[in-house]
Amino acid sequence: MSVYIIAQLKFTRRELYDRYQSRFMGVFSKFKGKLLVADAHPVVLEGEWLRDKVVIMEFPDEAAAKEFQNSPEYQEISVDRKAGADAIVLTVRGLS
């Protein structure tokens, strides 16, 4: 069953987030994930959304998502993401 990581970001120090972003694909490409969405201009259809960016990644299963999230390579670059953006990060399971 596919698993998705969804991140909703509010930039706090854009230069640090940009440094993270510049290194992200080099790390992400080593894992079994697929980047589906990285939108800095989502359109709010309903409700109030106080974030700047949405990122959605797909993984073949929960183990692959955890492997990426917990990898030393990702942990190293995620320091800049955490310093550069306030984030809500979720893991959700697909329907099939």
Side-chain angles (χ1 to χ4, degrees), residues 8 39-54:
Q8 299 179 31
D39 191 346
H41 303 286
V43 175
V44 177
L45 298 177
E46 190 174 321
E48 186 175 2
W49 191 69
L50 303 175
R51 301 281 165 174
D52 297 313
K53 185 174 183 176
V54 174

Side-chain angles (χ1 to χ4, degrees), residues 16-35:
L16 294 177
Y17 183 82
D18 288 347
R19 184 167 62 187
Y20 159 80
Q21 185 174 302
S22 72
R23 299 170 67 198
F24 177 82
M25 285 310 292
V27 171
F28 187 74
S29 65
K30 297 176 184 178
F31 296 88
K32 300 173 195 163
K34 182 177 176 183
L35 183 61

